[in-house]
Amino acid sequence: MSVPRPDGPGASALEGAAAALCGIVAMAAVAWLALWLLGAGSVGSPVTMAMALAAMAVGGSVSAGSVNSASSTGSSGSMGSILSGLLGGGGGGMSPSMSGAASVMPLGVTLVGSVVLWLVFSRRLRQRQVAARELGARAAGAGAAVLLAFLLVATLAHGTITMPASAMSKGLGGGQSAGAGTGGGALGGLFGGGGASSQDTTMSYDVHVGSTVFGALVWVTVVLALGCLVSRRVRVPLGGAVDRVRPGWAPSLSAVVRALLVLAVVPMALVTFVGVVVGGRVGTAAGGVLLLAPNALAVLLTLGVGAPWTAATHPVQSQGGNPLASIMGALGGGQQTTAQQQPRTEHLGSLSAGGWPLWLAALTVTAAILLTCAFVAARNTAPADTRPLHRYDGPLARHLGAAERFGVVTAVVLGSAVWLAGASGNLGVSMFGSEMGGTRVELTGSVLWTVLFGLPAGGVAGFLGSLGSLARTADLYGGMTSPRRILARKSPSAASSHSPAPGTDPGTLEAPLGNR
């Protein structure tokens, strides 16, 4: 049987680059599939939108602005056309313009790309143990490929989308009254017979290159580091203190990460398959699940440990120094529109539609997941690696050590999930360089409170999981819990060498083995 030889630095770097490109292609494919299920081809190019989603999946942000055209300025003889021409309607900055931005990570796309990246990257690593130099060459190749690829993606991810009139009216906070002419009617009559609330609006979008490239480098670094830490089949020499602490911390981290992967990937795969087969509204829902299922999972699990989540809608008020804003407010004049544009904030743990049942459901699911992960982590951790972080050598030392490690891992993972699952966006209309109005929406969770709540929740789960693992071991092996006792009882060689002679008291032989 031949033993695989180490690859040279060039070959290792190329394999790392190939793994990174496979991950990026997988992200683009999942984004395109989700857009196809959502029917996004009717508003723009799915290819450029898929590249934009791939950039957002690593932390890039997208901004958009309206595109002025001849068709959007009304008829040639209308007051709106003349006024738009005087104000620079041919594309100048003096014409009414719409703008928006979105900052959200579609974690479904991120998850698929991360899994594909690690599977391809670790294919050779699972066959043999590699040296630190070879691992470094692979990681450098992956990082260089990600840098160049996402630089190209962010550069090409620009295009136009056509927003329906109803969506633009609601997005600006006007509701039905604005569309009917209360506020939007006056503005629309002034700027081309209905303005943005009575006709479709074409908006151009592009991706911020800097945030995309920086986020991509962080993404590939985290994926490779996390994979090396939690993988059971890949043994890479990370060196120094990392190799010393990894046996005690890796089982807890591996259990939590693997559980989250299963909980996110299985619903995504099932719902996507059903959506592709059935189509229609089911397909539309499947497209949303494919993009945001991990985001929803992060919200649910962190609500279960008591972390606060807030969904808010804030109308953007016109700037007080703009006299045109006052004129438009007087022309629109309706109090109904003003009432519909009040800020609205909902705390997800206290929604009238959910309330205590929602929180109890989240608590039950989170508790079951944490206890299962803690039990698995305790089963996979050697007793020598469960020493507590402080100086304590009592009878509960092993359980306290497991509780401390699992609590820290839980707090870090859930806090990171809250930070990644947050989202924000805004849409507004501007004129004369001033913002006339708009809407800002956001979904935010507190990372600090999540860490503070996740630490004791994970600690309790780790303690109970360690007790459960110990009880399970004792039940399987007739009340013996020490690994030495298990080996002495189950090993054929130990049974033959230490079998008592007929008529001999077994206790005289059990004592030297530590079984008494």
Side-chain angles (χ1 to χ4, degrees):
M1 180 178 179
S2 60
V3 178
R5 295 183 178 181
D7 296 331
S12 298
L14 288 177
E15 288 194 3
L21 293 178
C22 289
I24 297 171
V25 170
M27 295 170 73
V30 170
W32 181 89
L33 177 60
L35 291 171
W36 177 73
L37 289 171
L38 291 169
S42 60
V43 299
S45 170
V47 176
T48 55
M49 285 191 288
M51 289 192 290
L53 281 178
M56 295 173 69
V58 295
S61 57
V62 175
S63 59
S66 62
V67 177
N68 295 318
S69 61
S71 61
S72 64
T73 59
S75 58
S76 59
S78 65
M79 179 65 180
S81 297
I82 300 173
L83 200 57
S84 179
L86 292 175
L87 298 176
M94 302 295 289
S95 63
S97 62
M98 305 195 67
S99 62
S103 179
V104 57
M105 289 185 67
L107 293 180
V109 180
T110 311
L111 180 63
V112 173
S114 302
V115 171
V116 173
L117 167 61
W118 174 249
L119 290 178
V120 180
F121 184 87
S122 63
R123 183 180 64 87
R124 287 288 187 91
L125 306 182
R126 294 191 297 267
Q127 299 174 0
R128 57 180 173 82
Q129 185 173 358
V130 300
R133 184 177 180 180
E134 183 178 350
L135 178 65
R138 290 176 179 272
V146 164
L147 174 64
L148 296 177
F150 273 103
L151 181 61
L152 181 62
V153 166
T155 304
L156 297 179
H158 62 85
T160 59
I161 55 175
T162 303
M163 302 293 293
S166 58
M168 298 305 297
S169 176
K170 294 179 181 178
L172 290 175
Q176 297 296 331
S177 61
T182 303
L187 182 63
L190 186 62
F191 294 105
S197 61
S198 63
Q199 61 186 352
D200 295 346
T201 301
T202 301
M203 301 186 69
S204 63
Y205 61 89
D206 53 26
V207 176
H208 295 177
V209 178
S211 61
T212 301
V213 172
F214 177 76
L217 292 177
V218 174
W219 167 70
V220 69
T221 303
V222 171
V223 170
L224 297 184
L226 191 61
C228 292
L229 287 175
V230 306
S231 179
R232 297 174 183 174
R233 299 182 58 186
V234 176
R235 290 294 180 263
V236 292
L238 300 179
V242 177
D243 286 336
R244 290 195 298 270
V245 303
R246 181 166 54 176
W249 292 87
S252 297
L253 185 60
S254 176
V256 174
V257 171
R258 289 173 186 272
L260 294 181
L261 284 176
V262 172
L263 291 172
V265 170
V266 172
M268 285 171 54
L270 293 178
V271 174
T272 302
F273 176 77
V274 174
V276 171
V277 173
V278 176
R281 293 185 177 179
V282 178
T284 302
V289 170
L290 186 58
L291 291 177
L292 301 176
N295 300 62
L297 178 64
V299 174
L300 179 67
L301 294 182
T302 51
L303 278 176
V305 299
W309 277 92
T310 302
T313 303
H314 305 284
V316 178
Q317 303 296 334
S318 59
Q319 299 179 3
N322 187 357
L324 187 59
S326 302
I327 297 175
M328 294 304 171
L331 291 174
Q335 297 179 355
Q336 186 177 4
T337 303
T338 304
Q340 291 181 356
Q341 295 179 359
Q342 295 300 320
R344 183 178 180 182
T345 302
E346 293 284 2
H347 300 284
L348 299 188
S350 59
L351 286 175
S352 58
W356 283 98
L358 174 63
W359 184 80
L360 288 177
L363 176 62
T364 303
V365 172
T366 304
I369 294 171
L370 290 181
L371 287 174
T372 303
C373 293
F375 179 81
V376 173
R379 294 281 292 174
N380 293 328
T381 306
D385 297 320
T386 57
R387 291 185 298 272
L389 303 180
H390 51 82
R391 292 183 178 181
Y392 174 74
D393 196 21
L396 298 178
R398 175 180 178 181
H399 309 304
L400 289 178
E404 291 170 352
R405 288 171 173 82
F406 193 80
V408 172
V409 168
T410 301
V412 171
V413 171
L414 293 184
S416 302
V418 169
W419 178 63
L420 294 175
S424 63
N426 64 78
L427 181 66
V429 59
S430 301
M431 177 176 282
F432 294 108
S434 300
E435 205 164 18
M436 300 290 298
T439 301
R440 185 177 73 254
V441 296
E442 58 184 5
L443 175 67
T444 57
S446 174
V447 176
L448 177 60
W449 284 111
T450 303
V451 172
L452 293 179
F453 291 150
L455 190 61
V460 172
F463 188 85
L464 296 177
S466 181
L467 287 177
S469 174
L470 195 64
R472 177 63 174 167
T473 303
D475 180 67
L476 287 176
Y477 298 106
M480 296 190 306
T481 56
S482 172
R484 293 176 59 191
R485 300 180 188 182
I486 296 172
L487 291 176
R489 180 66 61 89
K490 294 299 178 180
S491 174
S493 59
S496 61
S497 60
H498 297 288
S499 297
T504 305
D505 183 11
T508 59
L509 293 178
E510 292 290 321
L513 294 176
N515 295 344
R516 293 187 66 182

